[in-house]
Amino acid sequence: MKMIFKIAKTELRNLFYSPVAWFLTVAFMVQCAVYYCTPLVGTARWQDIALKSMPNFKGWGGLTPQLFMAGDSIFKNALQNLYLFIPLLTMGLISREVNNGTIKLLYSSPVKTREIVLGKYLAIMLYNLLLVSVIAVFIVMGIFQIEHADYGMLLSALLGFYLLVCTYTAIGLFMSSLTNYQIVAAIGSFIVILVLSRIGGLWQKYDFVRDLTYFLSISGRTIKMLKGLITTKDVIYFGLVIFMFISFTLIKLKSGRESKSWITGAARYGAVTVIVLAAGYFSSRPAFIGYWDTTAGKYNTLHPNIQKVIEQLGDGKLEVTLYTNLLGGGAPKGFPLNRNEYLSEVWERYQRFKPDIEFNYVYYYDTGDKDSTVYRTMPGKSLPEIAQQVASGFDQPLSLFKPPAEIRKMIDLSSEGYRVVMELKYKGQRTFLRTFDDQPFWPEDEQIAAALKRLLQAKLPKITFLTGNLERDIYKKGEREYELLVHAKNQRQSLMNLGFDSDTISAGKEIPVDISMLVLADPKTALDQPTRDRITEYINKGGNMMVLSEPGKQHILNPVLQQAGIQLEDGILVEVTGYEMPDMVKTVNDRANGRNGQGWRVENIL
C-alpha cells in the first residue's frame, strides 16, 4: 500500500509539473464560472424587476435545479463537456513511461504491476477531487445566494460528477497502455467514451442482449443523481466500469512481460467482462436496488398516499401486460426497442416499493373495423398485407405480432380502441391502464394510483349527475356535453382515468347519501318542487353538490340555490377584446401563462 501512495505522489507531482493539468483546471474553472453566472445574472435581473413592480412577489422558488441542473446550468454543461478534458489528461499516464524508458526501471524494481496501475489511477482520482472542489466553490456560493437551497440535491449531483470523471479517467488509463503515442491514446479514449454513450441504443430489439447493452451504456447514468436520487444500481455501475478498465490495464501490462499466447490474454479480458456484466445484471434487478432520495421535498419518491396503496398490495402478485397494436396509436412506444424506456419512465418508481411486479408483453395487429383509416390508406390490400407493410416500415418482423383471430381469443380490446394499453391483474381483479395522445404518452401517478385502487376494490369517489331537465349529458360528445370530461378513455384528465366513478340519477328518484358529489350541470328547464326537496334533503344530510349554470339561467337555478341560502346574481362579467366575444373573460392564470388567444366563459356570479 505504501508503494501505491509513493507512485501516486510521484505521478501527481509530474502531473502538475506539466502545463496540461494547469491548463485543464483553469479552462474547467472558466467554463463553470460562465455557466453558473449566466443563468444567475438573468435570474437576479428579473427578480429585481419583479420586486420593484410586483408587490406580492415572494421569490421564484426552485432555483437550485434552475441554476445547477437545467438548461445551460453548471452541472449539465460540465458533464456534457467532460469528455473533452479527460483524454488530454490521461493520454500520457502509461505511454509517457514507455517513451521515456522509465517503464523498464519500474519493471526491474521490486514493484508489482498492480501497484504501478493503482498508484497512477489514485493520482488521477486525487486530481479529480480538484475538479470537484472547483464546482464545490460555486455550490458554496449558491448556498449563500439561493434562499432555501437544496443541499441534498447539490451533494448528489457532485457525487455523480465525481463518479463519472473517475470512470472517464479509468478508460483513459487503459487506452494509454495500448499505445506509445499519446495523441492516439486520447483519440482512443474519445472513441471508447462515445461507444459507451451510444451502446445503450444498440440491439434493443433482441431480448438476449437488451439488458446487457443497456447496462453498459454510460449515457444518462448521472441523470437521477442530478435530480437528487442516488441508487445503488448507478453507483455500482460506475464502480464496475472502473474495475473493468483498470483490470484491462493490468492484463495489458502483464501480457507485455509474459510469453503467453494471445488466447490466454483474450481469456483474461473475457473473464473480466463476464464478471462485470454478471455483477451489473444482478445489481440492476429491482429487488437488489437501494434508493436514497436526497432532495428536501422527496421529489423523486412516490407520494405517501400512493405508497400506502402499494403497501395494500402486500405480497400479492401484480401482473402488468402491455398490449401493443402494430396498427394502433403509439405503437412504436411499445416495441421491444423501447422496452427499457417504458420500464424506466412508468414503473421504476413503483418497483422501488414493489420489486416483484411481473411484466408481460403482447404484440398484435387488429383494426376491428373494415371502414378504418388503415384500409382507406392502403386500398385493395388485406389486413395481413397491410400489417406486413407497416411492420416493414417499423423494421419489425411480422411474426412478432399475433393476428386478429388469435388476440381476440385472449382478450377483447375493442373497448380500448386497439391502441397501446396496459392490463393490470391482481388476485383475480383486472383493470386497464391507458396511454394518451399527448407529450408524456404514458400514464402518470394519478392514473396509475387510480388503476391500483380499482384492483384493490377500494371505494372510489362517486360523482352523480342529475338528469331529467335537459342537463349536460355525460354520455354525449359536443361543446355542451361532458363525455370528454367524464368518460373519455383517451383523455388523461377525465374522471374515469383519475379514479372517479360516475353515474346519473333521474330527478324523480331518491338521491343516495353515499355518493361523493351531486352535480347539477346547467339544466334548461326548471326543476319541480319534489326534486328541489330531494336536493335539499341530500344537502342537509351533509352531501356535497356542484351547480353549473350558463348566463341567464337565474330563474331556473335560483329556486334550487335559495333553499341553501344562496343565489345567482343578475348580470355577467365581460371583457372587451379584439379577438373574443365579450363574455369570454381571461383568468389571471391565463394572463400569467401568456394565453392571448383563449378565453373562458365566466358564468353567473354565485
Side-chain angles (χ1 to χ4, degrees), residues 195 198-206 209-214 217 337:
V195 170
R198 302 298 181 186
I199 196 173
L202 299 178
W203 309 303
Q204 292 294 291
K205 294 188 296 183
Y206 308 105
V209 296
R210 180 186 301 111
D211 290 336
L212 295 181
T213 56
Y214 191 75
S217 176
L337 180 68

Side-chain angles (χ1 to χ4, degrees), residues 256-271:
R257 304 177 64 183
E258 299 174 344
S259 58
K260 293 185 178 181
S261 66
W262 65 269
I263 298 178
T264 303
R268 290 173 177 175
Y269 285 115

Side-chain angles (χ1 to χ4, degrees), residues 12-241:
L12 199 61
R13 184 172 59 248
N14 293 334
L15 191 64
F16 282 101
Y17 282 163
S18 70
V20 175
W22 292 106
F23 172 78
L24 292 180
T25 304
V26 173
F28 183 73
M29 181 178 293
V30 171
Q31 173 189 314
C32 291
V34 170
Y35 288 114
Y36 175 75
C37 294
T38 299
L40 178 65
V41 171
T43 302
R45 184 186 301 115
W46 282 106
Q47 180 172 282
D48 289 342
I49 294 174
L51 288 172
K52 295 176 182 177
S53 307
M54 303 167 61
N56 296 325
F57 179 74
K58 301 296 183 181
W60 302 114
L63 286 180
T64 301
Q66 178 179 334
L67 295 181
F68 284 94
M69 287 82 181
D72 285 335
S73 60
I74 180 172
F75 268 112
K76 187 171 183 179
N77 282 277
L79 292 173
Q80 286 179 345
N81 300 325
L82 193 59
Y83 72 96
L84 299 174
F85 294 90
I86 301 304
L88 300 177
L89 186 69
T90 59
M91 61 185 182
L93 284 176
I94 305 296
S95 59
R96 183 176 60 248
E97 303 287 353
V98 176
N99 293 333
N100 294 339
T102 53
I103 191 68
K104 296 180 180 179
L105 293 176
L106 288 173
Y107 284 162
S108 61
S109 63
V111 180
K112 297 178 180 179
T113 304
R114 67 171 180 270
E115 292 175 335
I116 298 173
V117 174
L118 294 178
K120 287 181 173 293
Y121 186 69
L122 178 60
I124 295 298
M125 288 183 66
L126 294 175
Y127 174 81
N128 293 340
L129 290 176
L130 178 62
L131 300 181
V132 169
S133 65
V134 170
I135 295 184
V137 170
F138 295 97
I139 288 179
V140 173
M141 293 171 58
I143 290 175
F144 284 103
Q145 294 169 340
I146 300 174
E147 187 176 9
H148 306 303
D150 197 333
Y151 310 102
M153 182 182 292
L154 293 173
L155 293 176
S156 173
L158 203 60
L159 174 63
F161 171 82
Y162 184 66
L163 290 175
L164 183 63
V165 71
C166 286
T167 303
Y168 283 172
T169 51
I171 296 171
L173 177 66
F174 172 61
M175 298 310 298
S176 178
S177 69
L178 293 179
T179 177
N180 297 338
Y181 301 97
Q182 295 188 18
I183 188 63
V184 176
I187 295 174
S189 299
F190 283 125
I191 294 174
V192 173
I193 292 173
L194 177 63
V195 170
L196 288 179
S197 299
R198 302 298 181 186
I199 196 173
L202 299 178
W203 309 303
Q204 292 294 291
K205 294 188 296 183
Y206 308 105
D207 294 339
F208 179 72
V209 296
R210 180 186 301 111
D211 290 336
L212 295 181
T213 56
Y214 191 75
F215 164 75
L216 283 175
S217 176
I218 202 170
S219 178
R221 286 290 177 174
T222 56
I223 289 179
K224 291 186 180 66
M225 293 188 189
L226 290 181
K227 295 179 180 179
L229 181 64
I230 300 174
T231 67
T232 56
K233 177 178 67 174
D234 292 331
V235 174
I236 291 175
Y237 166 82
F238 287 117
L240 288 174
V241 175

Side-chain angles (χ1 to χ4, degrees), residues 178-430:
L178 293 179
T179 177
N180 297 338
Y181 301 97
Q182 295 188 18
I183 188 63
V184 176
I187 295 174
S189 299
F190 283 125
I191 294 174
V192 173
I193 292 173
L194 177 63
V195 170
L196 288 179
S197 299
R198 302 298 181 186
I199 196 173
L202 299 178
W203 309 303
Q204 292 294 291
K205 294 188 296 183
Y206 308 105
D207 294 339
F208 179 72
V209 296
R210 180 186 301 111
D211 290 336
L212 295 181
T213 56
Y214 191 75
F215 164 75
L216 283 175
S217 176
I218 202 170
S219 178
R221 286 290 177 174
T222 56
I223 289 179
K224 291 186 180 66
M225 293 188 189
L226 290 181
K227 295 179 180 179
L229 181 64
I230 300 174
T231 67
T232 56
K233 177 178 67 174
D234 292 331
V235 174
I236 291 175
Y237 166 82
F238 287 117
L240 288 174
V241 175
I242 292 171
F243 166 79
M244 182 171 68
F245 282 99
I246 290 179
S247 299
F248 285 173
T249 306
L250 284 170
I251 294 171
K252 176 61 176 67
L253 294 181
K254 283 186 176 182
S255 64
R257 304 177 64 183
E258 299 174 344
S259 58
K260 293 185 178 181
S261 66
W262 65 269
I263 298 178
T264 303
R268 290 173 177 175
Y269 285 115
V272 171
T273 303
V274 169
I275 292 172
V276 168
L277 291 178
Y281 177 81
F282 287 106
S283 65
S284 61
R285 297 303 88 192
F288 302 114
I289 300 177
Y291 298 86
W292 182 18
D293 189 351
T294 63
T295 59
K298 304 301 177 185
Y299 304 116
N300 301 301
T301 305
L302 290 175
H303 191 278
N305 291 340
I306 301 180
Q307 293 182 39
K308 291 179 181 178
V309 174
I310 298 176
E311 287 177 3
Q312 295 177 33
L313 296 174
D315 296 330
K317 177 183 176 182
L318 175 61
E319 185 177 347
V320 180
T321 303
L322 177 66
Y323 291 94
T324 302
N325 182 11
L326 174 65
L327 307 178
K333 292 280 189 177
F335 288 164
L337 180 68
N338 298 311
R339 185 174 298 176
N340 282 318
E341 181 181 347
Y342 153 70
L343 293 174
S344 175
E345 291 186 11
V346 183
W347 293 110
E348 185 173 3
R349 297 201 304 158
Y350 292 83
Q351 288 180 293
R352 173 180 175 181
F353 299 97
K354 189 171 179 58
D356 59 344
I357 300 176
E358 180 180 329
F359 296 98
N360 301 312
Y361 306 90
V362 177
Y363 304 94
Y364 71 99
Y365 65 91
D366 198 357
T367 61
D369 187 357
K370 282 283 186 179
D371 296 327
S372 69
T373 306
V374 173
Y375 287 99
R376 294 194 296 271
T377 303
M378 299 184 181
K381 292 185 179 295
S382 64
L383 190 59
E385 291 174 335
I386 295 173
Q388 180 62 65
Q389 296 296 323
V390 176
S392 298
F394 284 127
D395 192 25
Q396 299 291 326
L398 185 61
S399 59
L400 178 67
F401 301 89
K402 299 180 183 298
E406 187 174 346
I407 189 64
R408 291 178 187 180
K409 291 180 181 179
M410 295 177 55
I411 188 173
D412 182 11
L413 295 172
S414 58
S415 62
E416 298 299 320
Y418 296 103
R419 61 174 291 116
V420 176
V421 67
M422 287 156 278
E423 184 188 39
L424 276 57
K425 300 178 184 178
Y426 175 75
K427 292 185 177 180
Q429 300 298 319
R430 302 186 178 195

